[in-house]
Amino acid sequence: MGILEQPVSCLKGVGEKRQEYLRRMGIETLKDLIYYFPREHEDRSCSYSIAQLPHGQRAGTRAVVTGSARTRRLRRGMTLTRVPISDGTARGYAVWFNNPYTARHLRINGEYEFFGRVDRFMGEVQIQNPQVTKAKDRAGDGRGRLVPVYPKHGKLESRDFERMIAKALELAAGKVDDIFPARFREQYGLEEINKCLKNIHFPLDMASYNRARYRLVFEEFFLLQLGLLMIKREVKGKREGISFKEVPEEGRFMDGLPYRLTGAQMRAWSEIKEDMEKGSVMNRLLQGDVGSGKTVVAALALLKAAANGYQGALMVPTEVLAEQHYLTLTGMLSGFDLRLELLSGSCTAGQRKEIYGRLKDGDIDIIIGTHSLIQEGLEFARLGLVITDEQHRFGVRQRAALVSKGANPDILVMTATPIPRSLALILYGDLDLSIIDEMPPGRKRVETYVIGPGKRDSAYGFVEKQLKEGRQAYVVCPLIEESEVVEARSASEVYQELAGQYFKGYRLKLLHGRISSQAKEEVMRDFREGRIDLLVSTTVIEVGVDVPNANIIVVENAERFGLAQLHQLRGRVGRGESQSYCILINGSGSRASYERLKVMADSNDGFYISEMDLKLRGPGDFFGTRQHGLPELGIARLPDDMKTLRAAQSTALSLAEDPNFLNDSSWSQARRELERFFGREGWQSGVI
Ligand code: ADP
Ligand code: MG
């Protein structure tokens, strides 16, 4: 075992408790620790004179203590401790709130460096709660004055990480294998890995930090791109797929629809059809904004597979959606003598066993379900087509697990999460893309309003007006139950309030993730069939739910949701004939939240909204496994690192074109890293 794989407990000062704490953050080995990068660096060069200390910033100065510490009591048990300091240019004070201790260690006439927040008030300069170092200690600790700042994690402060990481780096110094051969590093101006890892934490100056960061970002993008390219090549090149034949059922299905497919739906379908008829495996992403009509296209593909004698599986992220798709597809395909089945959480053990048996015997043509479909023991007779809906909810591994239940089935992944065009380049590296960029005719724009808490009454008054006209409504809350930590409305609380106050006499129901599958299905059925007027819910209704008579959605504490998520939620309405409404309650009342929510009022375009979301919230949330089923990026930031991305991408592309390069021993480290990055299963089954 290499030094990097050693557990963090081998460091002095990391006991059982801290080890457990780190483990919960996903940090188990020295390597994990070293790859925990600082958020920023603070310049502690203490280069300011007292006279020049910048107001309102964190900054440092070197000064002499000129008098003794004085501690004063303030209101409510607070204390204030002041120490006079001077550096010849001016006099000032180091001050501490509720900490009389640090000052006691200072000697009068001793010279120190003080680093903290500067406050200038009525001609007096203060450094608040400063960190203090003896001036002579500072000379030559070899680390420079750029001090890394790590995100605080519970009890672990930035300084704790700093100490642990410094020790880990000491142990690992010079021992990290570089995934890039030296020749390659030279060619692309990439710094050696051991040097990078030191400089990303403890750089001597910003230039060395930037060089280190460039390489690490490059590496991350490079691996991502290379992985996606290899997977794509694998899927396309080597794997014999199924050649589905053209069947008359396709035309019959379209003739039987109550509407005509839009041009965009037709285009997407013909791309999918062509893929399915080809001998190689289909690996296609179908992207279309909320409500653009992806389900009917999926139904066509499933029908084609079944008519060819193969089984199809549709995997969705929630039970509510599984049940709904089951009903929709059963309706759409009713004229075709197919056997559809729903594998739901409310199936009894007996029913489950029966379904497993029939699947294995080939007595089911189309199965619909959640993650339950990837359970061990579930087998297909002839799985030919795998579709995942709302693919961003599934990880790489889950999709791979379903696919591995067949012999090279075709794969269609559908998503309504519009991905900013700037990111499409990376995310679709491995998939062919079809886009439905047109809404079914006659859709009205959902009128959207952002209101403060003061307007809640009139908002619910408006909801009541809609209910009186026979429409139905959603009210969405960020929490299930009241919480002491988070200040936001819970679904239970809102439900009580609405049922007892605003909507006496109406039929209300509460829906959230903690009620049983059976109860959930029942509530959704009642809502769909009009036996419930108003549904108070958490985000369990976020994806896919399609009840055209519901025309108004109210989101409580809308500021707690991302814009892309709000767009999904809003997609629950605007599916029928009548004008639809979306009311976003800005619970925080803050201007910044208002501005962000206002984007929703201004636009119904999922692409535009996700661009704005990315811009306003930063990409942290955007890129994780949670959203798109890709490996999490540790250091790269989009769109800032777009240029590095392009460089890494073209490099990866030219390397991947050489079919032997991964057998080259100088790249063996990179291959291992790829496996780790994507996870073994996803990588080996060749599917992402
Ligand atoms: P999504 O893409 O969000 O999954 P759905 O497949 O749920 O959208 O379709 C949204 C609604 O639009 C459904 O009620 C569906 O019946 C309807 N729809 C789909 N395609 C058409 C079309 N070409 N013309 C009219 N209505 C359509
Ligand atoms: Mg859908």
Side-chain angles (χ1 to χ4, degrees):
M1 191 159 63
I3 181 78
L4 287 175
E5 276 72 46
Q6 295 287 342
V8 286
S9 56
C10 76
L11 294 175
K12 246 213 296 207
V14 180
E16 238 166 71
K17 246 195 182 152
R18 192 170 271 196
Q19 182 178 17
E20 171 57 21
Y21 210 94
L22 290 167
R23 195 188 58 75
R24 268 187 269 140
M25 294 172 58
I27 297 177
E28 299 190 33
T29 63
L30 292 189
K31 177 164 187 183
D32 298 336
L33 195 56
I34 291 174
Y35 275 82
Y36 188 72
F37 298 139
R39 189 182 51 205
E40 60 185 335
H41 285 86
E42 205 163 59
D43 183 356
R44 299 242 180 107
S45 41
C46 295
S47 56
Y48 290 100
S49 64
I50 293 183
Q52 287 168 336
L53 278 171
H55 171 71
Q57 287 177 32
R58 288 172 63 75
T61 189
R62 177 189 278 239
V64 172
V65 172
T66 57
S68 53
R70 293 255 163 82
T71 297
R72 249 191 319 133
R73 298 207 164 278
L74 306 173
R75 276 169 307 147
R76 284 189 249 131
M78 308 252 288
T79 66
L80 175 71
T81 304
R82 287 159 58 92
V83 174
I85 57 176
S86 164
D87 68 349
T89 66
R91 297 163 64 77
Y93 288 91
V95 306
W96 285 268
F97 297 99
N98 294 330
N99 171 9
Y101 314 109
T102 310
R104 287 184 197 156
H105 297 292
L106 301 180
R107 269 188 318 105
I108 296 180
N109 292 329
E111 191 178 28
Y112 300 89
E113 287 184 356
F114 298 87
F115 189 90
R117 198 182 155 77
V118 179
D119 191 35
R120 290 174 169 277
F121 182 67
M122 308 254 291
E124 180 177 305
V125 188
Q126 291 187 348
I127 301 189
Q128 295 172 345
N129 301 313
Q131 298 193 357
V132 184
T133 332
K134 268 192 208 149
K136 67 174 187 318
D137 286 358
R138 264 300 187 184
D141 63 358
R143 278 220 215 130
R145 299 298 162 81
L146 290 170
V147 176
V149 181
Y150 300 90
K152 188 177 138 107
H153 233 274
K155 273 191 223 129
L156 291 178
E157 303 273 346
S158 179
R159 286 178 66 131
D160 298 316
F161 287 107
E162 187 185 334
R163 283 195 205 109
M164 290 188 289
I165 290 169
K167 280 188 209 150
L169 278 171
E170 234 168 79
L171 288 176
K175 295 189 181 130
V176 183
D177 292 327
D178 206 315
I179 70 157
F180 296 128
R183 203 168 14 86
F184 180 87
R185 281 202 312 269
E186 242 163 67
Q187 189 178 346
Y188 292 98
L190 302 169
E191 216 156 48
E192 196 275 328
I193 187 69
N194 287 282
K195 197 167 166 190
C196 282
L197 290 174
K198 176 169 183 299
N199 285 342
I200 198 77
H201 294 284
F202 304 112
L204 273 172
D205 49 36
M206 274 327 269
S208 24
Y209 171 81
N210 288 335
R211 278 197 302 276
R213 186 174 184 282
Y214 177 78
R215 182 225 142 101
L216 291 168
V217 171
F218 185 97
E219 174 174 330
E220 207 161 62
F221 281 138
F222 176 83
L223 287 174
L224 181 63
Q225 289 302 310
L226 192 61
L228 293 175
L229 285 165
M230 303 291 288
I231 288 165
K232 189 171 189 173
R233 197 178 69 190
E234 185 113 336
V235 172
K236 286 215 141 160
K238 283 200 211 128
R239 299 175 66 191
E240 274 296 300
I242 304 158
S243 304
F244 295 96
K245 293 196 177 50
E246 168 146 39
V247 289
E249 281 86 345
E250 296 166 36
R252 194 145 71 73
F253 177 89
M254 283 196 245
D255 293 342
L257 282 176
Y259 46 76
R260 288 182 43 190
L261 293 186
T262 62
Q265 282 170 317
M266 280 307 286
R267 209 161 40 243
W269 168 239
S270 68
E271 286 161 1
I272 292 165
K273 180 177 153 74
E274 193 177 314
D275 271 7
M276 287 180 75
E277 289 171 7
K278 265 197 264 180
S280 52
V281 169
M282 169 166 80
N283 205 21
R284 184 169 285 278
L285 179 82
L286 176 60
Q287 187 183 341
D289 208 343
V290 201
S292 61
K294 295 182 290 295
T295 315
V296 64
V297 177
L300 262 164
L302 288 165
L303 174 62
K304 185 178 175 79
N308 271 274
Y310 284 89
Q311 291 169 301
L314 174 60
M315 180 160 76
V316 300
T318 66
E319 301 241 348
V320 168
L321 188 52
E323 152 113 1
Q324 178 188 286
H325 272 330
Y326 173 71
L327 294 175
T328 312
L329 291 175
T330 305
M332 280 182 180
L333 298 170
S334 60
F336 292 93
D337 191 26
L338 295 177
R339 293 153 302 181
L340 276 77
E341 203 53 72
L342 172 69
L343 184 63
S344 103
S346 63
C347 289
T348 62
Q351 287 168 330
R352 186 169 291 267
K353 206 168 151 217
E354 193 248 3
I355 291 176
Y356 276 31
R358 285 169 56 215
L359 261 183
K360 195 173 168 188
D361 293 343
D363 290 341
I364 292 173
D365 300 301
I366 296 171
I367 181 102
I368 296 145
T370 59
H371 301 78
S372 57
L373 291 180
I374 56 181
Q375 244 140 46
E376 240 171 87
L378 183 147
E379 290 170 47
F380 291 85
R382 267 157 71 81
L383 179 61
L385 174 68
V386 166
I387 303 183
T388 58
D389 193 9
E390 309 297 345
Q391 70 101 25
H392 58 287
R393 295 295 191 93
F394 293 107
V396 176
R397 284 153 199 258
Q398 289 161 329
R399 215 176 325 142
L402 181 53
V403 167
S404 68
K405 291 187 183 291
N408 301 342
D410 277 354
I411 304 155
L412 180 67
V413 296
M414 308 199 289
T415 183
T417 305
I419 294 152
R421 285 176 225 282
S422 58
L423 294 190
L425 173 81
I426 323 161
L427 296 171
Y428 302 148
D430 70 317
L431 296 167
D432 295 312
L433 176 63
S434 293
I435 297 182
I436 303 184
D437 53 2
E438 180 186 349
M439 285 289 170
R443 286 285 167 78
K444 295 194 188 74
R445 188 187 155 96
V446 178
E447 276 182 32
T448 303
Y449 305 94
V450 183
I451 62 170
K455 292 242 176 83
R456 267 180 100 229
D457 281 2
S458 53
Y460 282 120
F462 185 67
V463 172
E464 191 185 358
K465 235 175 98 199
Q466 299 300 317
L467 298 191
K468 276 210 178 109
E469 287 175 21
R471 302 279 95 77
Q472 290 161 283
Y474 300 97
V475 174
V476 180
C477 308
L479 304 172
I480 298 179
E481 277 156 11
E482 273 170 83
S483 152
E484 289 180 2
V485 238
V486 189
E487 213 171 295
R489 287 178 168 265
S490 72
S492 317
E493 185 189 353
V494 168
Y495 172 75
Q496 296 294 345
E497 184 193 14
L498 295 184
Q501 197 180 322
Y502 293 93
F503 294 101
K504 269 206 185 117
Y506 288 92
R507 296 162 302 178
L508 272 65
K509 267 279 157 56
L510 178 62
L511 184 73
H512 56 69
R514 269 194 233 143
I515 64 179
S516 76
S517 319
Q518 202 167 353
K520 249 185 263 170
E521 280 173 25
E522 212 175 285
V523 171
M524 276 320 292
R525 197 170 313 138
D526 285 348
F527 189 66
R528 200 174 294 123
E529 289 166 12
R531 287 189 296 273
I532 294 173
D533 302 306
L534 188 152
L535 193 60
V536 180
S537 145
T538 55
T539 53
V540 290
I541 58 140
E542 177 185 343
V543 287
V545 171
D546 184 31
V547 180
N549 189 49
N551 76 327
I552 183 159
I553 183 166
V554 178
V555 183
E556 294 270 1
N557 289 105
E559 78 282 359
R560 302 192 62 88
F561 296 95
L563 293 182
Q565 197 175 18
L566 287 173
H567 182 63
Q568 287 281 337
L569 285 168
R570 178 168 63 182
R572 297 313 114 222
V573 299
R575 294 175 163 256
E577 300 290 300
S578 52
Q579 177 58 51
S580 290
Y581 305 92
C582 170
I583 300 175
L584 304 174
I585 303 180
N586 178 12
S588 83
S590 94
R591 189 80 210 165
S593 320
Y594 178 80
E595 291 299 331
R596 198 165 65 85
L597 293 173
K598 197 75 176 30
V599 173
M600 294 291 299
D602 295 343
S603 174
N604 268 286
D605 176 354
F607 273 110
Y608 172 77
I609 289 170
S610 72
E611 292 280 5
M612 290 305 283
D613 205 18
L614 183 66
K615 217 180 256 164
L616 294 171
R617 275 206 309 175
D621 273 356
F622 213 93
F623 212 86
T625 313
R626 262 183 311 139
Q627 288 270 6
H628 301 295
L630 283 171
E632 205 123 10
L633 290 178
I635 186 168
R637 291 284 168 263
L638 287 163
D640 303 351
D641 290 320
M642 212 58 202
K643 251 172 90 178
T644 316
L645 169 61
R646 291 218 180 82
Q649 189 175 41
S650 68
T651 315
L653 200 62
S654 61
L655 271 176
E657 267 165 16
D658 171 4
N660 287 322
F661 99 96
L662 273 190
N663 299 330
D664 184 338
S665 64
S666 58
W667 286 99
S668 62
Q669 190 63 26
R671 190 169 50 234
R672 272 199 290 281
E673 205 51 33
L674 267 180
E675 276 171 9
R676 193 190 58 77
F677 202 45
F678 280 91
R680 273 190 169 270
E681 295 158 59
W683 174 245
Q684 284 178 348
S685 68
V687 176
I688 193 169

